[in-house]
Amino acid sequence: MGLVDLVKAIRDLYEEKKRLDAVIASLEAMLAADTKVTAPTPLKRRGRKSMSRDERSVVSERMKRYWAARRQQKESSSRMEPLATATSA
């Protein structure tokens, strides 16, 4: 490879670099314009909605009735079942 070929290769690379710089600059300008146009999306709340004091008391009463009924059902079913006897193998 001669000195002339090396100079030509360097010149070609510089021209390609200029072309790439122009393309990069235009893409960055498009990206900047795009981000200015779109409004930022509001952050969505995650998790459960908080309950008011009244809502909590309603839930509390409902769960007290639920667990009382479960305890009563368990007590009545355990009284009804005969004692388990050991079976021989």
Side-chain angles (χ1 to χ4, degrees):
M1 186 171 204
L3 185 62
V4 176
D5 292 334
L6 189 57
V7 171
K8 182 180 180 307
I10 292 172
R11 190 178 330 124
D12 290 343
L13 288 173
Y14 272 117
E15 287 174 13
E16 186 174 352
K17 181 179 181 267
K18 285 180 187 177
R19 192 170 34 86
L20 288 173
D21 286 339
V23 171
I24 290 171
S26 68
L27 289 174
E28 287 175 340
M30 286 177 13
L31 182 64
D34 187 41
T35 56
K36 289 179 185 176
V37 171
T38 59
T41 57
L43 297 176
K44 293 182 181 179
R45 256 182 85 174
R46 296 181 67 177
R48 294 184 177 165
K49 151 181 133 37
S50 59
M51 286 193 275
S52 69
R53 181 179 294 192
D54 294 336
E55 289 173 316
R56 280 194 299 275
S57 65
V58 168
V59 170
S60 174
E61 290 301 317
R62 184 174 65 236
M63 293 310 294
K64 284 178 185 176
R65 288 193 305 272
Y66 170 80
W67 286 112
R70 292 283 300 234
R71 279 192 300 275
Q72 186 179 10
Q73 182 182 13
K74 184 176 179 182
E75 289 172 3
S76 66
S77 67
S78 65
R79 281 189 239 157
M80 295 291 201
E81 292 177 9
L83 295 174
T85 57
T87 57
S88 60

